[in-house]
């Protein structure tokens, strides 16, 4: 359940009807609190904090906040974590980061 909360909150943010960008790109709501999630995340689970940044990058791209999305994507990219660089699961991340970088 710990791993699924960010994804469910991500989907709920996609369904939100607000014009305030901070509400759309922050993974805090009915399902989880982003700050609490990062605080309780064990240090050996660094990939989860990177995963949160990836989700926030995708939300920023979806709602048109390209500069913000680029900063999130750059942090993930600079981490050089194999999950985001050397796996098939990195393809969506690389595609969206390339689209944001192009803007």
């Amino acid at each position: 359940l710990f791993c699924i909360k960010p994804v469910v909150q991500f989907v709920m943010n996609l369904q939100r009807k607000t014009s305030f960008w901070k509400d759309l790109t922050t993974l805090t709501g009915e399902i989880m609190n982003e700050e609490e999630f990062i605080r309780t995340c064990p240090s050996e689970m660094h990939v989860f904090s990177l995963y949160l940044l990836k989700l926030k990058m995708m939300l920023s791209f979806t709602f048109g906040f390209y500069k913000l999305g680029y900063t999130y994507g750059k942090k993930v990219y600079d981490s050089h974590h194999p999950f985001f660089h050397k796996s098939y699961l990195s393809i969506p991340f690389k595609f969206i980061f390339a689209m944001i970088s192009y803007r």
Side-chain angles (χ1 to χ4, degrees):
L1 190 60
F2 184 76
C3 305
I4 296 182
K5 284 183 178 183
V7 177
V8 174
Q9 188 61 51
F10 171 79
V11 171
M12 293 182 79
N13 281 14
L14 288 174
Q15 297 173 346
R16 256 189 209 159
K17 294 181 179 166
T18 181
S19 59
F20 190 55
W21 67 271
K22 196 100 168 144
D23 289 341
L24 297 172
T25 58
T26 303
L27 292 171
T28 298
E30 298 83 24
I31 302 299
M32 67 172 277
N33 183 330
E34 181 180 333
E35 292 176 7
E36 182 180 317
F37 182 86
I38 292 172
R39 201 171 333 120
T40 60
C41 188
S43 60
E44 65 270 4
M45 304 290 276
H46 179 61
V47 71
F48 283 121
S49 60
L50 294 174
Y51 188 66
L52 283 179
L53 289 174
K54 176 193 166 200
L55 292 176
K56 291 174 72 141
M57 178 195 72
M58 292 171 66
L59 284 170
S60 299
F61 175 73
T62 303
F63 294 114
F65 307 117
Y66 303 113
K67 288 182 182 178
L68 183 64
Y70 181 80
T71 58
Y72 293 138
K74 185 83 169 122
K75 288 179 185 177
V76 174
Y77 187 80
D78 289 344
S79 73
H80 299 291
H81 194 282
F83 184 78
F84 298 103
H85 283 277
K86 297 180 180 178
S87 72
Y88 290 112
L89 298 173
S90 69
I91 293 171
F93 164 73
K94 289 178 180 178
F95 174 76
I96 292 175
F97 188 58
M99 295 297 290
I100 289 174
S101 299
Y102 179 73
R103 297 292 258 144

